[in-house]
Amino acid sequence: MTAPIATPWLSSQPDQDPRSATGAPLRWGIIATGSIARAVSEDLALLEDAELYAVSSRTQDTADAFAVAYDFAKAYGDDGGVPGYQQLLADDAVDIVYVATPHAQHHEMVLAALNAGKHVLCEKAFTINAREAAELIDVARSRRLFLMEAVWSRFLPSMQRAFEIAASGELGDIHWITADLGFPAPYSPTARLWARKDGGGALLDLSVYPLLWALGTLGFPQTVSATGFVNDDGVDAQNAMTLGYGHAAQVQLTSSLLAHGPRTATVAGNLGFLQSVGSINNPRELVITRGWEERRTETFDVVGKGYAYELREVMRCVQHGLTESPVMPLEDTLNTMRLFDGVRAQLGVSYPNDRH
């Protein structure tokens, strides 16, 4: 049997309840107050050793409302020309920062947080390009601070189990994978998903999830071929990637802001195949088929909305003095950004940050 070209990212504590404390309490600061910040804050509140300490926004009223809604102790809005996030970073009580701004602001916010001596969890996509990512990684390593990209699905019990099954040999040699994620996003040139200045488009916002199924099973590809539809604003409304591997395996991935899709993944080997049930970024069932007829279904529950697992990993790493997660290493984030840079070059997509 031909082995996968990379070891899947399997947690060393797969059965631990993410709500259970793993060390001394840590005080969190949240930069931005959008939908992802709200969802993550809800799950963060479930962790016994996490303190929802501070939140920042461009306006004080918005920061105050968020703090009240999610029980944060401090709220910082722009004041006297000093941005709210800078005030949050100047607060010595903040141990770790979650950056939930649009993609194009990640580099600025994370760099400021690292320079302020804070550990950082940054929402995906990590940055706009690999150059920005490499700089942030270098700064984090030089300052010996924890840094991780928030690819939450990677830590879910269902995803960890899917990677484990593929690595076990139960499916035999993995020869092909398909995965898709899409929904019709209402168009507005100023909306985060569509705004070029924010890093809008399907690639940076959605493609990490289909890609996860390939990377967690086969590792990074040897070749990448991409096609897609780029709208008049210069962002990709839809894309398709074909990944090639040297051991006779190939992968087809689709991401779309134009159409609904089944949001499923299939991992196919010569002895059987695995299919996800439920959205591929949070599957609730895995159907494993051996041969033509032998079939079983494994079901999964999640704590909260599912973000608690990545949050627990961050807490555990910081509490134990780690500067990066062995389940989500920085090299994987950098290689993903390099892959996306190559895809954007094929699609003809560029962003203002690329000129800096």
Side-chain angles (χ1 to χ4, degrees), residues 117-180:
K118 310 300 185 186
H119 302 292
V120 180
L121 173 66
C122 180
E123 188 52 47
K124 57 84 193 161
F126 188 63
T127 50
I128 288 294
N129 54 45
R131 173 184 54 78
E132 291 183 338
E135 180 181 356
L136 296 180
I137 291 170
D138 286 346
V139 171
R141 287 173 172 167
S142 68
R143 297 182 66 93
R144 298 195 58 78
L145 291 167
F146 180 85
L147 177 63
M148 192 182 89
E149 181 183 13
V151 184
W152 64 288
S153 299
R154 190 162 178 163
F155 299 90
L156 291 169
S158 56
M159 294 295 295
Q160 288 280 307
R161 178 59 177 151
F163 300 155
E164 181 182 43
I165 291 171
S168 72
E170 180 179 356
L171 306 179
D173 294 335
I174 305 302
H175 287 293
W176 60 266
I177 297 171
T178 62
D180 72 277

Side-chain angles (χ1 to χ4, degrees), residues 284-314:
R284 299 307 177 92
E285 293 183 358
L286 299 175
V287 179
I288 301 94
T289 303
R290 292 266 297 178
W292 297 112
E293 297 180 353
E294 181 185 339
R295 175 175 298 191
R296 75 176 189 277
T297 299
E298 298 187 11
T299 61
F300 304 87
D301 295 321
V302 297
V303 172
K305 297 181 181 298
Y307 300 102
Y309 301 92
E310 72 169 1
L311 295 169
R312 171 51 56 204
E313 175 69 2
V314 173

Side-chain angles (χ1 to χ4, degrees), residues 309-323:
Y309 301 92
E310 72 169 1
L311 295 169
R312 171 51 56 204
E313 175 69 2
V314 173
M315 295 280 289
R316 183 188 67 83
C317 288
V318 172
Q319 289 162 337
H320 291 80
L322 301 180
T323 55

Side-chain angles (χ1 to χ4, degrees), residues 7-10 137 141 146-149 151 154-155 220 313 323-336:
T7 301
W9 321 294
L10 297 178
I137 291 170
R141 287 173 172 167
F146 180 85
L147 177 63
M148 192 182 89
E149 181 183 13
V151 184
R154 190 162 178 163
F155 299 90
F220 282 88
E313 175 69 2
T323 55
E324 61 183 283
S325 165
V327 186
M328 183 72 213
L330 292 171
E331 194 65 24
D332 282 0
T333 288
L334 181 57
N335 285 333
T336 297

